[in-house]
């Protein structure tokens, strides 16, 4: 599903060049439930940006679902993001002026799905995360855990190839964190590829595979 | 892309209705800019109209020539001779200067004449004039007609009466075609005049100059001459004045340098001053108008910047969910254009309503405030375009922002 070959990425300023990713090779198969672990500054956020087609890389190759993701225009990048990837963020990032169901249906708007169908699908996924009765509520009327579940429903509504979660439990308490991880597990059991970026050992342990990143390279299992 | 994208506009209307404060602030800025522009321009126009009214009869670029007494001996003739113009002078000036659009002579009858009509008997001053006097004095005919060339040539006993004369003598009766007595001569009333300059003019009765000369004077004398210089420039008016003095000097045997033989009242200076005043008012209006528009543009640009900043996170989320940069820019700008245009239109509408309400005010220096429709719409359009351009730059930057960064901020 995901194939990274010798990915390099540097942040350049006028005087300095900071090498962040120093040759990443990574394969993630369809249906895998994996986590990327690393401390801050390890390059995991940059890697996530590249995986999510939010940032470009300097050299190497990134194949997503068999397609090469390189030198994309903004429009193409937006298209692949919408088609292939579902995002879940640490701070939920729901639009506060939209209700739960409107938030969930937003990615389908950018897929030019008709309004009625958008609503139906959004309701379906809200039901999956157990928030069908909260569909008409605004994010501010929901608890953190509920907001994250709405965000997960939103990431699922386009039926993406890969679910990318960036510190999805960073803003939640332990109990709620476990509930949310349970939800990811359930989604994975349905056959979806789930990739979670975290710095918490507890969270990473829930996944089936832990990929550790340090100083811009992936540590081999022997090193872990 | 479709011209009317109902899905997009639906998104925009939701966004507008959910962000009432933001919408209201943007709208208020634009509304106020256009509203003030309309009020200021309208009031300025009212000021100009009022002043134009004040100068309505004086603003004519006219030249008046009066006879005087010689103060210098000339060709063996003594001083202190009275100079009185006559029909030959009139004809000669008329023939020599065909470029003068209007030329007329005037005869003052020495005493008031008694006007008799039915049982009424009232005294009025009577002036005998050439038909062109209408254009030199800006006489306004409210009923009937003015004295014409045929009246003049045929020495018809016809009279144009002032508005106050009409009220005093005829009241509600229609005066046109009625026979009146002026002294011992009968006249037909052919018209009613209204001269904005003074009440005095409205108490006067005008008759053809030929009638005045034949009936009351028995000679061809003319008290004074008036003419309009049309669109001549200052130099041409000067040359005309000298040419006329030369003709009169030759006809009446006086030294052209004799300043007391005749008196010339050139109103070109007054005319120029009034023109300058109007130019000043116009310049002021433009200054105010351009200033208001600039202030409006700055205001709208500022609000656009704030709005885009305010929406950075939302834009990041939308991008992560698959929004293209174009759709982001289009969304932000469409919303801005919609609000700007509606607010501008409202400002324009209410400004016009206020102008309408104060249009009842009719003071000496203020009347009929009005705004040119085209100017108003152009102002709204300029604001919308300026707002769009001002919003375009931050919107494009926002569309380039990395969603992850945007959402973390």
């Amino acid at each position: 599903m995901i194939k990274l070959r010798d990915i390099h990425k540097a942040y350049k300023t006028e005087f300095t060049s900071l090498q962040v990713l120093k040759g990443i090779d990574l394969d993630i198969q369809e249906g895998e439930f994996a986590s990327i672990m690393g401390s801050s500054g390890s390059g995991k956020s940059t890697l996530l940006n590249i995986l999510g087609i939010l940032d470009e890389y300097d050299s190497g190759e990134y194949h997503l679902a068999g397609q090469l993701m390189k030198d994309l225009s903004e429009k193409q990048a937006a298209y692949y993001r919408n088609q292939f990837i579902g995002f879940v963020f640490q701070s939920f990032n729901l639009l506060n002026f939209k209700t739960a169901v409107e938030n969930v249906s937003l990615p389908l708007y950018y897929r030019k799905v008709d309004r009625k169908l958008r609503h139906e699908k959004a309701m379906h996924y809200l039901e999956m995360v157990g928030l069908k009765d909260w569909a008409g509520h605004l994010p501010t009327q929901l608890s953190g855990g509920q907001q994250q579940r709405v965000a997960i429903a939103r990431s699922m509504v386009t039926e993406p190839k890969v679910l990318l979660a960036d510190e999805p439990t960073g803003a939640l308490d332990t109990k709620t964190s476990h509930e949310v991880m349970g939800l990811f597990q359930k989604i994975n059991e349905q056959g979806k590829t789930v990739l979670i970026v975290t710095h918490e050992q507890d969270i990473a342990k829930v996944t089936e595979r832990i990929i550790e990143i340090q100083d811009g390279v992936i540590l081999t299992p022997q090193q872990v | 892309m479709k011209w009317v994208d109902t899905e997009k506009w639906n998104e925009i209307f939701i966004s507008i209705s959910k962000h009432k404060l933001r919408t209201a602030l943007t709208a208020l800025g634009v509304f106020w800019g256009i509203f003030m522009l309309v009020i200021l321009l309208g009031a300025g126009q009212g000021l100009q109209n009022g002043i134009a009214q004040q100068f309505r009869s004086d603003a004519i670029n006219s030249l008046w020539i009066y006879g005087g007494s010689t103060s210098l001996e000339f060709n063996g003739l003594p001083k202190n001779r009275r100079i009185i113009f006559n029909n030959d002078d009139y004809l000669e000036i008329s023939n020599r200067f065909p470029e003068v659009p209007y030329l007329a002579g005037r005869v003052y009858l020495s005493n008031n004449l008694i006007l008799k009509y039915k049982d009424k008997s009232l005294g009025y001053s009577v002036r005998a004039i050439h038909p062109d006097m209408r254009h030199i004095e800006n006489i306004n005919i409210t009923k009937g007609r003015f004295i014409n060339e045929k009246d003049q040539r045929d020495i018809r006993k016809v009279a144009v009466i002032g508005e106050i004369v009409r009220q005093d003598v005829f009241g509600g009766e229609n005066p046109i075609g009625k026979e009146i007595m002026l002294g011992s001569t009968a006249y037909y009333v052919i018209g009613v005049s209204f001269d904005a300059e003074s009440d005095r003019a409205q108490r006067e009765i005008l008759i053809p100059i030929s009638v005045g000369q034949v009936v009351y004077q028995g000679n061809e004398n003319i008290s004074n001459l008036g003419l309009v210089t049309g669109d001549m420039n200052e130099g041409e008016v000067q040359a005309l004045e000298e040419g006329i003095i030369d003709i009169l000097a030759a006809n009446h045997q006086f030294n052209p340098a004799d300043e007391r033989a005749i008196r010339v009242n050139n109103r070109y200076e007054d005319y120029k001053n009034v023109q300058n005043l109007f130019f000043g008012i116009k310049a002021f209006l433009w200054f105010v108008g351009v200033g208001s528009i600039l202030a409006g543009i700055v205001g709208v640009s500022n609000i656009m910047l704030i709005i885009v900043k305010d929406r950075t996170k939302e834009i990041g989320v939308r991008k992560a969910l698959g929004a293209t940069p174009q759709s982001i820019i289009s969304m932000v700008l469409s919303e801005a254009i919609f609000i700007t245009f509606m607010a501008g239109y409202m400002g324009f509408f209410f400004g016009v309503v206020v102008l309408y309400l104060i249009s009842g005010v009719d003071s000496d220096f203020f009347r009929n405030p009005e705004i040119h429709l085209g100017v108003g719409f152009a102002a709204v359009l300029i604001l919308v375009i300026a707002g769009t351009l001002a919003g375009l730059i931050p919107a494009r930057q926002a569309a380039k922002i990395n969603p992850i960064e945007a959402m973390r901020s």
Side-chain angles (χ1 to χ4, degrees), chain A residues 49 81-82 93 110 166, chain B residues 313 318-319 321 404 408:
Chain A
N49 281 341
R81 276 202 291 278
N82 186 261
N93 284 314
Y110 288 111
D166 180 18
Chain B
K313 191 175 168 184
R318 286 180 186 271
K319 268 192 87 172
L321 299 180
I404 300 275
R408 276 189 185 147

Side-chain angles (χ1 to χ4, degrees), chain A residues 1-9 21 23-29 36 43-44 46-53 55-57 59-70 164 195 209 211 213 216-218:
Chain A
M1 179 57 56
I2 290 173
K3 196 166 90 180
L4 295 178
R5 285 294 173 271
D6 199 25
I7 296 287
H8 282 81
K9 170 78 181 175
L21 297 182
I24 299 277
D25 290 297
L26 180 63
D27 284 281
I28 290 170
Q29 306 305 316
I36 298 175
K44 68 179 192 310
T46 306
L47 181 59
L48 176 79
N49 281 341
I50 290 169
L51 286 172
I53 328 174
D55 205 349
E56 307 206 320
Y57 47 96
S59 64
E61 281 187 351
Y62 168 29
H63 288 269
L64 174 60
Q67 304 246 24
L68 178 63
M69 299 290 143
K70 195 166 192 178
L164 282 182
L195 194 53
R209 177 184 170 196
I211 301 149
I213 183 166
V217 288
I218 288 173

Side-chain angles (χ1 to χ4, degrees), chain B residues 160-176:
Chain B
V160 171
I161 60 173
E163 173 62 22
I164 292 176
V165 178
R166 182 195 68 76
Q167 285 169 17
D168 290 350
V169 176
F170 294 96
E173 203 180 332
N174 181 6
I176 307 299

Side-chain angles (χ1 to χ4, degrees), chain A residues 45 48-49 54-55 74-75 78-79 81-82 87 89 91 93-95 97-98 102-103 106-107 109-110 113-115 118 154 166, chain B residues 7-8 10-11 14-15 18-19 313-314 317-328 331 399-400 402-405 407-408:
Chain A
S45 289
L48 176 79
N49 281 341
L54 297 168
D55 205 349
E74 283 268 22
K75 204 175 165 182
Y79 172 78
R81 276 202 291 278
N82 186 261
F87 283 104
F89 304 99
S91 50
N93 284 314
L94 301 173
L95 299 187
F97 60 94
K98 284 177 178 287
E102 284 169 348
N103 266 291
L106 192 58
Y109 166 75
Y110 288 111
V113 175
D114 132 288
R115 189 137 56 111
R118 282 205 315 254
R154 181 178 67 182
D166 180 18
Chain B
E7 290 285 348
K8 186 181 96 179
N10 194 48
E11 273 291 298
I14 289 172
S15 175
K18 294 284 170 64
H19 295 100
K313 191 175 168 184
E314 178 195 341
V317 172
R318 286 180 186 271
K319 268 192 87 172
L321 299 180
T324 58
Q326 277 92 339
S327 79
I328 298 281
M331 173 185 73
K400 274 184 195 155
N402 182 325
I404 300 275
E405 324 256 292
M407 285 180 287
R408 276 189 185 147

Side-chain angles (χ1 to χ4, degrees), chain A residues 198-218:
Chain A
T198 183
H199 64 273
E200 289 176 76
Q201 198 73 44
D202 285 358
I203 298 303
K205 270 186 191 155
V206 181
T207 64
E208 293 161 356
R209 177 184 170 196
I210 300 173
I211 301 149
E212 275 209 73
I213 183 166
Q214 195 180 308
D215 290 333
V217 288
I218 288 173

